[in-house]
Amino acid sequence: MTAHPVDEKLPALKMATTGLQHVAAMYAGVVAPPLIVGAAIGLTGTELTFLTGACLFTAGLATFLQTLGIWKIGARLPFVNGVTFAGVAPMTAVVASTKDKSDALPIIFGAVIVAGLLGFIAAPFFSKAVRFFPPVVTGTVITLIGVSLLPVAFGWAQGPHPTADDYGSTTNLGLAAATLLIVLVLRRFTRGFVKQIAVLLGLIAGTLLAIPFGVTDFGPVTDAAVIGFPTPFHFGAPRFQLAAILSCVVMVVSMTESTADMLALGEIVERPADEKTIAAGLRADTLGSALSPLFNGFMCSAFAQNIGLVAMTRIRSRYVVATGGGFLVLMGLCPMAASLIAVVPRPVLGGAGVVLFGSVAASGIQTLVKAGLDKDNNVLIVAVSLAVGMIPITAPDFYHAFPQTAKIVLDSGISTGCVAAVLLNLVFNHLGRNRDDQDVTHPMEAGEQIAAAH
């Protein structure tokens, strides 16, 4: 019997290069949270390098849990796990409220451990919500994931620091455009393996192209140590403070996004994620988060940007992503190796990100095609949910008057759009008898017909 593409083991060279491509796609997302939190605490350069390496190491371990799995833990889908951006706001809030900044990381680690363990217990109950995720919901959420990630790519395209003089310069935007063009040309005019690793080749070509412009910085390689292990509890033993633990309600946000990501990836790899798969995937997320602070890492969750890579390359093997997890572990153990990907300029990452994140949005649109948009109920569900999910993207200060705890959830367009889609689908398609079973191609069509009759 032929193995499903998800369970296929590819040749070693192909496994290594495509696995590295996954690492390249998510590297910036993994290192950004520790850089932000570390800067807020005021860590030295050496401590910041250590914290970043620790997050890479724990991301690799969490990826192993998710792709290879043990017992009832792990979705066994091509999922990359790493530090979630959802945790940045509560972590910086903890830093701001801590008088002695040296206590901040132990308090954060304690909160993450508790949140991870509670999430692990809640995973099987949370997964039962899968029946409330039909194509009209999943398609909307997948589209929102892609659209929500695109501003990240646009930010990268402008440069690494918004305060820098060259931020948004023609040089940076030109490098992003050139990288995007290289990826598109490779995808259009090459075949087979070269076509599948077009993003990786585009990143390499873009980095080389950036050298004459002085944008490529090889300093991280020359300054990095060859070997370094993330010593357990390097920054101190975890401390458990109730306020910090309550702020980690963000775990619910992370679990919601991971559920949507699993449903999205299940559609893309043609192995739909059922309740059992989602429960196992959430256990991997939450257990990875609970174990991460042991090695000085933060809360982990599935990375949506890698879904775009799977969608674009059509390489669906979970062993490819597990290989990427192996690279993450090695980079965590070898800071010099980790620094190699740090050499890739942000504008180059931005150009490749347009393709990756746009592919996620396109996958969502493909799912919506199956959602029965000939029903006006479904059109309304999609319309309102997309609008709600777009609020944090188009109007970032929309919820400025809300409490900080509420903003943790509201500022995530993926989460708010997902909740809106689930609730609207429940109201329109589940509660009571559906009064409008007729095909309607536009939500205003019925009103237009009445006007015509009059």
Side-chain angles (χ1 to χ4, degrees), residues 372-383 428-429 434-446:
L373 293 185
D374 52 345
K375 306 291 185 183
D376 70 331
N377 284 351
N378 287 345
V379 172
L380 288 171
I381 291 169
V382 174
F428 279 93
N429 292 332
N434 190 358
R435 294 176 298 169
D436 187 4
D437 289 326
Q438 296 181 356
D439 291 350
V440 181
T441 58
H442 190 280
M444 297 302 294
E445 184 174 326

Side-chain angles (χ1 to χ4, degrees), residues 45-55 228-232 234-235 295-296:
T46 302
E47 291 173 330
L48 201 56
T49 300
F50 183 93
L51 184 64
T52 303
C55 287
F229 183 78
T231 312
H234 175 81
F235 295 99
F295 298 103
N296 313 284

Side-chain angles (χ1 to χ4, degrees), residues 30 33 94 96 108 119 142-143 203-204 245 248 296 306 322 329 360 371 373 379 404:
V30 173
V94 169
I108 289 171
I142 297 166
T143 303
L203 290 172
I204 294 172
I245 292 170
C248 276
N296 313 284
N306 292 79
V329 170
V360 177
L373 293 185
V379 172
Q404 186 64 36

Side-chain angles (χ1 to χ4, degrees), residues 30-395:
V30 173
V31 301
L35 290 176
I36 294 169
V37 175
I41 295 172
L43 296 181
T44 64
T46 302
E47 291 173 330
L48 201 56
T49 300
F50 183 93
L51 184 64
T52 303
C55 287
L56 289 168
F57 180 78
T58 54
L61 297 182
T63 299
F64 285 150
L65 275 178
Q66 194 67 269
T67 54
L68 303 179
I70 54 172
W71 185 56
K72 296 181 179 179
I73 300 170
R76 293 170 174 81
L77 289 171
F79 250 133
V80 173
N81 271 43
V83 182
T84 173
F85 260 103
V88 172
M91 287 192 292
T92 52
V94 169
V95 173
S97 63
T98 305
K99 292 183 179 179
D100 187 351
K101 300 305 180 187
S102 63
D103 294 333
L105 282 174
I107 292 171
I108 289 171
F109 292 150
V112 172
I113 289 172
V114 173
L117 293 176
L118 291 175
F120 186 85
I121 295 170
F125 306 101
F126 200 92
S127 67
K128 293 185 184 299
V130 67
R131 64 181 182 274
F132 300 117
F133 287 83
V136 67
V137 174
T138 56
T140 301
V141 175
I142 297 166
T143 303
L144 273 174
I145 290 171
V147 172
S148 297
L149 288 170
L150 281 171
V152 176
F154 300 150
W156 288 345
Q158 295 178 80
H161 303 293
T163 57
D165 293 336
D166 65 343
Y167 188 74
S169 66
T170 54
T171 298
N172 288 344
L173 297 181
L175 287 171
T179 304
L180 173 59
L181 181 62
I182 291 168
V183 174
L184 293 176
V185 168
L186 289 172
R187 290 289 299 176
R188 173 62 182 85
F189 296 105
T190 62
R191 296 180 180 179
F193 181 56
V194 174
K195 183 175 183 178
Q196 291 172 332
I197 62 168
V199 173
L200 180 60
L201 296 176
L203 290 172
I204 294 172
T207 301
L208 295 174
L209 186 64
I211 292 175
F213 296 95
V215 179
T216 306
D217 179 16
F218 291 96
V221 178
T222 58
D223 297 339
V226 178
I227 299 175
F229 183 78
T231 312
F233 302 132
H234 175 81
F235 295 99
R239 296 176 56 183
F240 303 95
Q241 287 190 0
L242 182 59
I245 292 170
L246 291 176
S247 73
C248 276
V249 68
V250 72
M251 178 60 79
V252 177
V253 177
S254 177
M255 292 172 74
T256 301
E257 293 184 359
S258 287
T259 298
D261 290 345
M262 279 183 267
L263 291 166
L265 189 60
E267 289 289 330
I268 291 169
V269 302
E270 297 177 354
R271 179 183 277 182
D274 56 14
E275 184 179 317
K276 181 180 177 182
T277 302
I278 291 173
L282 292 176
R283 287 192 190 99
D285 269 7
T286 52
L287 181 60
S289 295
L291 294 176
S292 186
L294 173 65
F295 298 103
N296 313 284
F298 298 141
M299 186 183 296
C300 295
S301 71
F303 264 55
Q305 49 261 56
N306 292 79
I307 298 175
L309 194 57
V310 174
M312 191 184 72
T313 63
R314 303 303 297 167
I315 297 177
R316 295 175 277 181
S317 171
R318 60 192 173 103
Y319 296 104
V320 164
V321 176
T323 303
F327 281 120
L328 289 170
V329 170
L330 289 175
M331 286 192 294
L333 298 174
C334 178
M336 184 172 286
S339 66
L340 287 174
I341 294 184
V343 168
V344 179
R346 286 293 177 85
V348 174
L349 282 173
V354 171
V355 179
L356 295 177
F357 306 155
S359 296
V360 177
S363 297
I365 295 171
Q366 288 176 332
T367 303
L368 285 174
V369 170
K370 311 173 189 174
L373 293 185
D374 52 345
K375 306 291 185 183
D376 70 331
N377 284 351
N378 287 345
V379 172
L380 288 171
I381 291 169
V382 174
V384 176
S385 300
L386 285 177
V388 170
M390 289 288 288
I391 289 174
I393 304 170
T394 57

